[in-house]
């Protein structure tokens, strides 16, 4: 019995071209021949057709059909476009559910089909040019503006569809593009960013128009590591596209239902043929239906094929067609399962010798060839040689399925037995369990292979019992790097140069834009000891993306190899660094770095690690060369002046600029920063002629911290200050010696002038004080150009002086809340709401307070004039009263005990203590009013102070009582001792006893206790 007797073979030898569906007859054949699995039908009905239709309002998106070469991707796209264009073809769809759903799009579109080939055109120009040409064929004249004339394509596309609707009011326009991923892979990093931006606009236009877009790609670009550098752009594109995946089950269905179709009788014969072999394998019986449907292809063939990641997968259906074409006239073997397993795919790969140039598959081919050669020549068990060769082929292919061709991962003997259906005639005669006996034989063959090659090229992982091709000792990595270096393009060398600079300049700790060559960079303003923000760009000025906000300067590292043509506009804010004077040594180092880096990007496992080590070594050499030769190798251009880097530093102390100790090496990053600082000094002076000069170096990173130091110093009235705080306050003109004098600062005066210009009762909003320039807020950006942190320090000083009240979210900060202000996050303060003028002086309240404390009320006027010595007197008097109140309250706690009784009742104690505690708490609140600014916000009324008079009088009376009791207690004790010493009934004893009795009577008299002349009366 031959294979042809069991299979209704329908060969798939040709590759479907998308444009072939332009012909209606060919389109009809493509629709009728397309086999649809249940899973594919579900996706077509629920995802694809609803996205294409335009009769119901939906959030329509673009479509991406994802499938590897040869999986039917182009066929599927041809079918979809054919149905959309030709209404009658919906009836030819083989799946009834899809045919019914397809009526929603059948004949509803004018269709444009294309494949993108090898081109340097942008995606925008390809699509716009195609649309113009194809619309012309439809009788529609429409022209897109030039690429540099528009900022948004959505409006133009909407205009195009409006023009289309005038000619075809009832139809939509469907654009179908194949091989999009190959095109995107050919683009450089800068171009991909623009292409993805246009692709996003294409997806968005599908939502609000009758325009639809379908693209064919080989892998999901949203998950591809190739495009991770534009992850944010990909997210936006992803949001406007649906993906239709051609899955493994879809391929199996096509293989079973078209390529290897069988009738019931043929299936029965195959089942009878395979059933006896089921006892040798762990899952053949359980998967028998699947084996029958796919016969003679082993089901794991397709699954393994899908897992191959290290090489490009092409034409699985076509490949299987060729294999079956060679097998049809052959007789089905009776003594082993005649199945096509995944080891046969390795033979196909190995026959294509061009694969040896592929750095992923070539090393495996080299190892595999050696292994096969050794097995053919020296295998000591000839009977097992066919099995050994199949195992070698299988392990060679398996090496491409684990993602890392150097990882110690492979297949177990059991997996090889089942996935290849390995078999050895006579195994059934061993008498044991057939599956276990066969497994033992496979393990024996594996050991024999290992022995034959002397332990080379193939290894065993004892942890997981897997065998794998071992590539670690077969490659001359240096030779491979040298070979790769010889074929590097100038673009690759330029990319490596910039890649090396990214590491050399330590760009990893710089703020990075989404654009891969653009980094935030600071240059020192030498005269003012501060830094300005700019952009560091690897490329020419005309290549820099304008999508990012301008900054104070631009620093360009120009490509040294085949430098792109550009015009130097001689801008004051641009500094260009040209690597002009390099030698062969540098070129060799750079090429090795470029080659090793490129090989590392396309390798995995141990090879990747090795290439990374080689790249690091080359980069280290490159850094040494650049640091050593920087002064002569680089030419720096600024405003038309071009001279060597060393010449720019003449007359400057480079170590002083960079802050480098004499014994330390000046790193390349600081040299670069210093070059920018020297060139850009006039630029900075022009930008901010009245910017403060600091005595310490201020950077963007330490600016918030220094502002925090200054705020804490202000809150403590300069009693707690630091070097940094003093430097900041002095630079801002807020200090006179060690005293805060906000009104002497030109910057504070600017704020006060703006605030005083407001009508009474109105506030000065943040937006009126801080003006946005290049997405950064500055005060007076054309003169002071003060950052928000310094403005906050100025505002805190004005709050301190009582000249302003600062309003932030949920709080108003006046001079009484300086401590709270100092504890607030600087960023929160920077986002303040507004400032306002403080209230007028509370003269009546302050005068009443002075009267209460027995101070001249007229001195209140001196406080309003800023005389701080009066404030000191006030606080001294307040502290004195508080201390005395605390002492008296403590002294009466036990009701003033005397001679076995108490001078105060419990009710009197409670009354007097509450009265005095109220006065104490009032006075304690006054202790925070220790500056003129705080007293300007004095919140107590005159009657609040008057109400405390009783408490102060009471404490004065009780203070006298406590002192008297202490004195009388001493006298009473003396009399008691005297009485005890005198003879009984002695005249003096009687007189002493009468005196003591009289003393007790005096102390117990409530009238005397309440009398202000208590001391005088008691002493009588």
């Amino acid at each position: 019995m031959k294979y042809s007797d069991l299979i209704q073979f329908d060969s798939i030898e040709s590759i479907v071209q998308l444009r072939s569906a332009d012909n209606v007859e060919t389109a009809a054949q493509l629709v009728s021949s397309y086999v649809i699995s249940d899973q594919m039908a579900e996706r077509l009905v629920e995802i694809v057709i609803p996205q294409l239709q335009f009769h119901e309002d939906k959030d329509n998106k673009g479509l991406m059909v994802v499938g590897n070469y040869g999986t039917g991707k182009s066929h599927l796209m041809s079918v979809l476009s054919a149905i959309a264009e030709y209404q009658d073809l919906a009836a030819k769809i083989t799946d009834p559910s899809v045919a019914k759903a397809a009526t929603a799009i059948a004949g509803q579109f004018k269709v444009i089909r294309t494949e993108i080939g090898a081109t340097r055109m942008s995606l925008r120009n390809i699509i716009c040019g195609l649309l113009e040409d194809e619309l012309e064929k439809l009788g529609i004249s429409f022209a897109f503006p030039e690429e540099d004339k528009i900022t948004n394509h959505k409006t133009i596309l909407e205009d195009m569809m409006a023009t289309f609707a005038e000619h075809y009011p009832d139809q939509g326009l469907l654009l179908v593009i194949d091989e999009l991923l190959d095109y995107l892979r050919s683009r450089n990093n800068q171009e991909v960013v623009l292409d993805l931006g246009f692709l996003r606009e294409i997806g968005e236009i599908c939502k609000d128009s009758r325009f639809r877009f379908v693209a064919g790609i080989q892998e999901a670009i949203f998950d591809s590591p190739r495009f991770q550098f534009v992850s944010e752009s990909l997210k936006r594109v992803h949001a406007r596209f649906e993906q239709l995946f051609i899955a493994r089950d879809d391929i199996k269905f096509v293989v079973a239902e078209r390529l290897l179709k069988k009738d019931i009788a043929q299936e029965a014969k195959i089942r009878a043929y395979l059933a006896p072999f089921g006892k040798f394998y762990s899952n053949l019986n359980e998967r028998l239906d699947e084996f029958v449907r796919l016969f003679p292809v082993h089901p794991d063939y397709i699954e393994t094929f899908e897992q191959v990641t290290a090489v490009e997968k092409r034409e699985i259906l076509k490949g299987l067609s060729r294999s079956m074409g060679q097998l049809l006239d052959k007789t089905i073997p009776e003594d082993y399962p005649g199945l096509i397993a995944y080891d046969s795919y390795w033979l196909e790969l190995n026959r294509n010798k061009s694969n040896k140039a592929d750095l992923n598959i070539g090393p495996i081919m080299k190892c595999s060839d050696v292994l096969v050669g050794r097995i053919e020549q020296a295998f000591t068990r000839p009977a097992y040689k066919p099995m050994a060769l199949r195992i070698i082929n299988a392990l060679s292919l398996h090496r491409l399925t684990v993602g890392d061709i150097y990882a110690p991962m492979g297949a177990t003997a059991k997996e090889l037995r089942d996935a290849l259906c390995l078999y050895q005639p006579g195994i059934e005669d061993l008498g044991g369990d057939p599956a276990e006996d066969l497994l033992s034989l496979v393990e024996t063959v594996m050991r024999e292979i290992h022995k034959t090659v002397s332990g080379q090229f193939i290894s065993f992982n004892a942890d997981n019992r897997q065998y794998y091709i071992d590539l670690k000792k077969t490659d001359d990595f240096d030779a491979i790097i040298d070979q790769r270096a010889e074929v590097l393009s100038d673009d690759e060398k330029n990319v490596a140069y910039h890649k090396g600079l990214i590491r050399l300049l330590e760009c990893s700790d710089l703020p990075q834009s989404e654009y891969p060559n653009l980094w935030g960079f600071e240059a020192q303003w030498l005269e003012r000891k501060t830094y300005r923000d700019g952009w560091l760009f690897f490329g020419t000025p005309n290549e820099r993306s304008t999508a990012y906000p301008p900054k104070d300067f631009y620093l360009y590292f120009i490509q040294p190899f085949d430098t792109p043509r550009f015009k130097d506009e001689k801008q004051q804010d641009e500094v260009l660094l040209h690597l002009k004077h390099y030698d062969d040594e540098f070129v060799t180092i750079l090429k090795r770095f470029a080659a090793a880096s490129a090989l590392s990007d396309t390798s995995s496992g141990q090879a990747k690690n090795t290439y990374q080590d080689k790249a690091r070594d080359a980069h280290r050499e490159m850094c040494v060369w650049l640091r050593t030769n920087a002064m002569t190798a680089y030419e720096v251009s600024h405003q038309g002046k071009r001279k060597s880097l060393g010449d720019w530093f003449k007359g400057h102390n480079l170590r002083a600029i960079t802050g480098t100790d004499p014994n330390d090496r000046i790193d390349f990053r600081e040299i670069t920063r210093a070059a920018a600082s020297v060139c850009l000094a006039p630029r900075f002076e022009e930008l901010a002629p009245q910017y403060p000069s600091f005595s310490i170096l201020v950077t963007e990173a330490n600016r918030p911290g220094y502002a925090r130091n200054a705020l804490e110093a202000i809150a403590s009235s300069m009693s707690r200050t630091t070097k940094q705080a003093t430097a900041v306050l002095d630079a801002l003109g807020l200090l006179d010696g060690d005293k805060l004098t906000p009104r002497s600062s030109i910057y504070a005066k600017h704020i006060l002038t703006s605030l005083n210009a407001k009508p009474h009762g109105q506030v000065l909003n943040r937006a009126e004080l801080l003006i946005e320039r290049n997405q950064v807020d500055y005060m007076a950006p054309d003169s002071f150009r003060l950052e928000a942190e310094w403005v906050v320090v100025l505002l805190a000083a004005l709050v301190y002086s009582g000249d302003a009240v600062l309003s932030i979210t949920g709080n108003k900060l006046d001079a009484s809340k300086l401590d709270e202000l100092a504890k607030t996050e600087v960023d929160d303060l920077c986002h303040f709401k507004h400032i306002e003028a403080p209230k007028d002086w509370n003269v009546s309240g302050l005068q009443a307070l002075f009267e209460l404390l027995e101070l001249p009320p007229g001195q209140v006027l001196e406080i309003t004039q800023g005389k701080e010595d009066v404030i000191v007197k006030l606080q001294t008097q307040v502290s004195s009263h508080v201390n005395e109140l605390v002492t008296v309250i403590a002294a009466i706690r036990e009701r003033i005990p005397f001679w076995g009784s108490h001078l105060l009742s419990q009710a009197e104690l409670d009354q007097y203590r509450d009265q005095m505690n109220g006065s104490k708490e009032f006075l304690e609140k006054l202790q925070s009013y220790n500056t003129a600014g705080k007293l300007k916000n004095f919140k107590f009324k005159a009657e609040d102070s008057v109400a405390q008079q009783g408490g102060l009088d009471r404490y004065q009376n009780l203070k006298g009582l406590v002192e008297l009791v202490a004195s009388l207690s001493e006298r009473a004790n003396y009399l008691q001792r005297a009485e005890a010493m005198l003879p009984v009934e002695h005249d003096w004893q009687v007189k002493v006893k009468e005196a003591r009795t009289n003393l007790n009577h005096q102390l117990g008299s409530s009238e005397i206790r309440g009398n202000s002349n208590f001391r005088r009366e008691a002493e009588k």
Side-chain angles (χ1 to χ4, degrees):
M1 185 168 54
K2 296 182 178 180
Y3 283 98
S4 57
D5 297 329
L6 299 180
I7 302 165
Q8 300 171 32
F9 178 60
D10 183 4
S11 176
I12 302 177
E13 289 294 337
S14 62
I15 299 298
V16 173
Q17 301 293 327
L18 178 63
R19 293 297 299 271
S20 61
D22 288 343
N23 180 281
V24 63
E25 293 181 357
T26 304
Q29 189 276 330
L30 290 171
V31 173
S32 61
S33 64
Y34 188 70
V35 179
I36 305 175
S37 68
D38 293 341
Q39 293 85 350
M40 177 61 75
E42 182 179 352
R43 293 193 289 272
L44 290 173
V45 171
E46 295 184 2
I47 299 176
V48 177
I49 294 174
Q51 289 297 329
L52 291 177
Q53 65 81 37
F54 52 74
H55 295 293
E56 296 182 13
D57 289 335
K58 289 184 177 293
D59 182 18
N60 292 86
K61 302 177 181 180
L63 285 171
M64 288 191 179
V65 180
V66 185
N68 292 309
Y69 288 107
T71 58
K73 168 175 55 66
S74 299
H75 194 168
L76 174 57
M77 294 169 64
S78 299
V79 169
L80 291 173
S81 63
I83 295 167
E85 185 172 10
Y86 309 116
Q87 183 175 6
D88 296 340
L89 296 187
K92 294 183 177 293
I93 298 175
T94 56
D95 185 280
S97 64
V98 178
K100 179 179 179 182
T103 57
I105 63 170
Q108 299 292 306
F109 290 89
K110 294 296 181 182
V111 179
I112 299 173
R113 304 175 183 86
T114 191
E115 296 178 358
I116 302 180
T119 177
R120 297 297 299 173
M121 291 177 64
S122 68
L123 184 62
R124 181 264 184 201
N125 288 342
I126 292 173
I127 291 180
C128 291
L130 175 68
L131 288 171
E132 288 180 2
D133 294 342
E134 295 299 321
L135 288 174
E136 184 71 27
K137 296 177 183 177
L138 295 173
I140 301 172
S141 178
F142 185 86
F144 287 88
E146 293 298 323
E147 187 173 3
D148 59 352
K149 304 297 183 185
I150 59 175
T151 60
N152 190 314
H153 290 86
K154 290 174 61 177
T155 303
I156 305 302
L157 290 168
E158 289 170 351
D159 293 342
M160 178 196 73
M161 289 307 297
T163 304
F164 178 85
E166 293 175 2
H167 293 76
Y168 300 98
D170 299 324
Q171 289 189 288
L173 180 62
L174 173 61
L175 175 60
V176 187
I177 296 180
D178 206 357
E179 312 303 345
L180 178 61
L181 184 62
D182 276 353
Y183 167 76
L184 291 176
R185 284 171 173 166
S186 71
R187 306 281 280 167
N188 65 37
N189 294 349
Q190 299 172 26
E191 295 167 340
V192 167
V193 173
L194 298 175
D195 292 339
L196 290 177
F198 182 69
L199 196 60
R200 171 183 56 79
E201 293 179 300
I202 287 289
E204 289 175 352
I205 195 65
C206 295
K207 179 180 179 181
D208 300 315
S209 72
R210 292 187 175 184
F211 180 82
R212 297 294 181 265
F213 181 79
V214 178
I217 57 178
Q218 290 76 47
E219 64 173 294
I221 63 173
F222 308 116
D223 302 321
S224 173
R226 163 67 175 85
F227 301 108
Q228 288 308 301
F229 71 95
V230 286
S231 58
E232 292 301 320
S233 296
L234 280 175
K235 289 178 183 177
R236 291 191 286 271
V237 176
H238 197 180
R240 297 311 312 159
F241 279 84
E242 291 284 356
Q243 297 183 91
L244 173 62
F245 290 91
I246 300 178
R248 184 185 306 151
D249 289 342
D250 299 315
I251 301 172
K252 286 184 177 181
F253 188 84
V254 172
V255 171
E257 296 300 318
R258 178 180 172 184
L259 188 66
L260 303 175
K261 190 173 181 61
K262 310 167 185 71
D263 57 30
I264 296 177
Q266 289 172 321
E267 288 185 352
K269 292 179 179 178
I270 295 171
R271 190 179 301 274
Y273 168 71
L274 291 176
F277 296 107
K279 60 187 177 183
F280 296 103
Y281 310 102
S282 58
N283 59 5
L284 193 153
N285 286 329
E286 291 77 6
R287 301 171 64 189
L288 189 57
D289 288 343
E290 187 179 8
F291 273 84
V292 170
R293 286 196 307 272
L294 291 173
F295 183 84
V297 176
H298 193 298
D300 290 348
Y301 179 105
I302 297 174
E303 295 180 7
T304 303
F305 179 89
E306 285 291 308
Q307 294 172 16
V308 174
T309 58
V311 297
E312 190 173 63
K313 301 181 285 289
R314 288 184 176 271
E315 307 176 13
I316 181 173
L317 299 179
K318 185 177 178 181
L320 285 174
S321 292
R322 288 197 298 268
S323 297
M324 283 305 306
Q326 299 169 3
L327 201 62
L328 283 174
D329 292 334
K330 294 184 177 180
T331 302
I332 298 176
E334 296 181 358
D335 54 351
Y336 64 90
L339 297 172
I340 301 174
Y342 71 77
D343 58 303
S344 64
Y345 183 56
W346 175 254
L347 295 176
E348 185 172 342
L349 284 177
N350 203 31
R351 277 193 292 268
N352 184 356
K353 298 307 178 184
S354 65
N355 283 330
K356 287 190 175 181
D358 188 301
L359 296 180
N360 285 306
I361 190 171
I364 304 174
M365 290 180 67
K366 181 179 178 181
C367 272
S368 182
D369 288 347
V370 173
L371 284 166
V372 169
R374 294 300 295 160
I375 296 301
E376 292 283 5
Q377 298 174 14
F379 198 67
T380 58
R381 308 285 287 271
Y384 301 153
K385 184 185 294 186
M387 181 185 290
L389 292 174
R390 289 195 65 194
I391 289 174
I392 296 301
N393 293 334
L395 291 179
S396 299
L397 183 69
H398 198 284
R399 193 86 297 235
L400 300 173
T401 67
V402 295
D404 179 356
I405 63 173
Y406 291 90
M409 296 175 62
T412 65
K414 182 178 180 181
E415 289 170 344
L416 290 169
R417 179 198 67 186
D418 294 341
L420 304 180
C421 280
L422 295 173
Y423 187 77
Q424 184 68 26
I427 197 72
E428 64 274 12
D429 299 330
L430 295 179
D433 179 272
E436 290 300 319
D437 290 342
L438 182 55
L439 179 59
S440 297
L441 178 61
V442 173
E443 292 174 339
T444 298
V445 173
M446 291 301 308
R447 288 192 295 270
E448 192 65 25
I449 294 173
H450 196 266
K451 177 183 175 182
T452 303
V453 296
S454 302
Q456 296 294 310
F457 308 112
I458 193 166
S459 295
F460 175 67
N461 187 335
D463 293 334
N464 53 27
R465 304 196 62 77
Q466 292 177 350
Y467 296 90
Y468 60 95
I469 300 292
D470 193 338
L471 308 175
K472 292 182 180 180
K473 299 179 181 179
T474 61
D475 290 320
D476 185 348
F477 292 107
D478 288 321
I480 295 174
I481 291 171
D482 291 340
Q483 292 170 8
R484 181 72 174 86
E486 292 306 313
V487 296
L488 288 170
S489 65
D490 286 336
D491 185 59
E492 287 177 305
K493 287 185 285 187
N494 285 329
V495 168
Y497 169 63
H498 285 155
K499 186 177 179 180
L501 284 177
I502 287 175
R503 300 184 190 177
L504 183 58
L505 292 167
E506 302 173 27
C507 290
S508 59
D509 62 352
L510 296 177
Q512 182 185 10
S513 68
E514 183 180 324
Y515 194 69
N517 278 356
L518 196 63
W519 305 79
F521 198 71
E522 287 185 322
Q524 185 179 349
W525 188 357
L526 301 173
E527 291 75 13
R528 307 296 174 100
K529 279 203 171 183
T530 189
Y531 281 83
R532 308 308 300 179
D533 284 336
W535 287 116
L536 171 64
F537 181 68
F538 299 122
T540 58
N542 60 309
E543 293 177 312
R544 178 177 59 82
S545 171
T546 58
Y548 295 93
K551 289 193 177 184
D552 290 352
F553 69 90
Y554 302 90
L555 189 63
Y556 299 95
F557 275 93
I558 308 301
Q559 300 94 322
F561 304 99
D562 191 23
T563 304
R565 295 179 62 85
F566 70 96
K567 181 180 179 181
D568 185 355
E569 299 290 346
K570 303 177 182 178
Q571 298 292 331
Q572 189 182 26
D573 61 350
E574 292 185 346
V575 177
L576 289 71
L577 288 92
H578 310 260
L579 180 62
K580 298 298 292 183
H581 307 290
Y582 51 83
D583 54 21
D584 291 341
E585 178 189 0
F586 175 78
V587 174
T588 300
I589 295 170
L590 176 65
K591 288 168 66 175
R592 283 188 59 80
F593 173 65
S597 298
L599 292 167
S600 172
D601 291 340
T602 58
S603 301
S604 56
Q606 184 61 35
K608 187 179 188 70
N609 294 336
T610 301
Y611 288 130
Q612 287 176 339
D613 290 341
K614 299 288 185 182
R616 276 192 291 268
D617 292 341
H619 180 259
R620 192 177 301 111
E621 294 179 48
M622 176 180 166
C623 292
V624 170
W625 192 96
L626 287 173
R627 278 195 296 263
T628 303
N629 299 280
M631 296 302 176
T632 56
Y634 277 100
E635 292 182 358
V636 180
S637 298
H638 177 61
Q639 285 196 293
K641 296 180 181 179
R642 182 162 175 168
K643 50 188 176 181
S644 71
L645 186 56
D647 286 343
W648 279 101
F649 289 131
K650 287 182 178 178
H652 296 275
N653 187 330
L654 182 57
R655 290 193 175 274
I657 295 174
T658 59
T660 308
D661 292 335
N663 297 325
D664 293 339
R665 183 188 65 194
I666 306 176
D667 64 43
F668 189 81
R669 174 170 168 169
E670 293 309 316
I671 293 174
T672 302
R673 198 188 305 279
S677 299
V678 170
C679 293
L680 295 167
R683 160 69 174 171
F684 298 154
E685 192 66 35
E686 180 180 291
L687 273 176
Q690 292 182 280
Y691 193 83
S693 296
F694 294 92
S695 59
I696 58 174
L697 190 60
V698 177
T699 68
E700 183 178 10
N702 65 30
R703 189 166 60 232
Y706 288 179
R708 162 70 57 212
N709 296 150
L711 293 176
E712 292 171 352
I714 292 172
S716 69
S717 299
M718 299 300 293
S719 64
R720 299 189 308 273
T721 188
T722 62
K723 176 184 176 182
Q724 292 80 9
T726 302
V728 169
L729 295 173
D730 188 53
L732 295 176
L734 295 171
L735 289 182
D736 182 3
D738 59 352
K739 290 186 178 181
L740 283 167
T741 55
R743 295 186 183 182
S744 64
S745 165
I746 61 170
Y747 311 113
K749 287 178 182 178
H750 174 84
I751 297 174
L752 284 178
T753 300
S754 301
L755 179 60
N756 293 335
K758 287 289 185 180
H760 181 72
Q762 291 191 13
V763 302
L764 179 64
N765 290 313
R766 183 184 188 277
E768 298 175 273
L769 188 59
L770 287 170
I771 310 301
E772 181 184 331
R773 288 289 171 84
N774 303 335
Q775 295 189 352
V776 179
D777 292 336
Y778 297 106
M779 186 179 84
D782 296 324
S783 55
F784 301 151
R785 208 173 182 84
L786 278 185
E787 294 86 356
E789 291 89 348
W790 300 149
V791 175
V792 164
V793 174
L794 293 167
L795 293 176
L798 292 174
V799 170
Y800 167 87
S801 64
D803 292 307
V805 176
L806 178 62
S807 177
I808 63 175
T809 302
N811 202 356
K812 282 190 177 181
L813 303 169
D814 56 29
S816 66
K817 296 181 178 180
L818 278 174
D819 287 338
E820 188 174 344
L821 186 153
K823 293 177 181 177
T824 303
E825 291 293 333
V826 172
D827 186 63
D828 292 339
L829 295 174
C830 288
H831 291 86
F832 67 91
K833 295 168 60 179
H834 62 258
I835 59 172
E836 58 188 66
K839 300 175 183 178
D840 292 333
W841 287 94
N842 182 4
V843 175
S844 62
L846 288 171
Q847 286 178 336
L849 174 63
F850 272 54
E851 291 176 357
L852 173 68
L853 299 176
E854 299 178 354
L855 293 171
Q859 290 184 344
V860 171
L861 180 60
E862 296 181 37
I863 292 179
T864 64
Q865 296 172 350
K867 294 185 178 180
E868 294 191 359
D869 56 333
V870 179
I871 301 175
V872 174
K873 294 177 182 178
L874 171 65
Q875 288 299 324
T876 300
Q877 193 74 344
V878 168
S879 297
S880 176
H881 280 296
V882 169
N883 292 335
E884 290 186 350
L885 278 166
V886 170
T887 301
V888 172
I889 292 171
I892 68 170
R893 187 170 52 226
E894 301 298 331
R895 295 189 290 142
I896 312 180
F898 186 76
W899 277 16
S901 63
H902 297 85
L903 302 187
L904 298 180
S905 67
Q906 186 62 47
E908 288 172 327
L909 173 64
D910 294 341
Q911 177 189 348
Y912 300 162
R913 185 169 53 196
D914 291 346
Q915 194 174 26
M916 289 186 293
N917 273 330
S919 296
K920 180 176 72 71
E921 291 172 1
F922 174 78
L923 292 173
E924 286 173 338
K925 293 177 182 177
L926 300 178
Q927 290 178 321
S928 63
Y929 293 95
N930 56 359
T931 67
K934 293 178 180 179
L935 283 169
K936 194 169 185 179
N937 294 281
F938 188 70
K939 66 180 180 180
F940 296 106
K941 301 177 181 178
E943 49 265 35
D944 294 329
S945 296
V946 172
Q948 308 306 319
Q949 188 66 55
L952 296 187
D953 290 344
R954 176 64 63 192
Y955 109 76
Q956 289 287 1
N957 286 338
L958 288 173
K959 175 184 176 185
L961 176 60
V962 169
E963 292 174 350
L964 177 60
V965 166
S967 175
L968 292 180
S969 294
E970 183 180 353
R971 296 183 186 183
N973 290 335
Y974 173 77
L975 289 172
Q976 186 176 20
R977 290 196 300 274
E979 181 182 1
M981 293 173 62
L982 293 171
V984 178
E985 301 299 333
H986 192 279
D987 289 344
W988 279 104
Q989 187 184 54
V990 172
K991 291 180 180 181
V992 170
K993 185 179 294 186
E994 289 175 354
R996 188 162 60 82
T997 301
N998 185 51
L999 184 61
N1000 283 336
H1001 175 73
Q1002 294 290 340
L1003 291 172
S1005 171
S1006 61
E1007 291 81 2
I1008 292 178
R1009 285 202 313 273
N1011 194 309
S1012 61
N1013 297 319
F1014 178 83
R1015 177 185 294 274
R1016 178 174 56 80
E1017 294 294 332
E1019 286 179 346
K1020 289 181 179 180

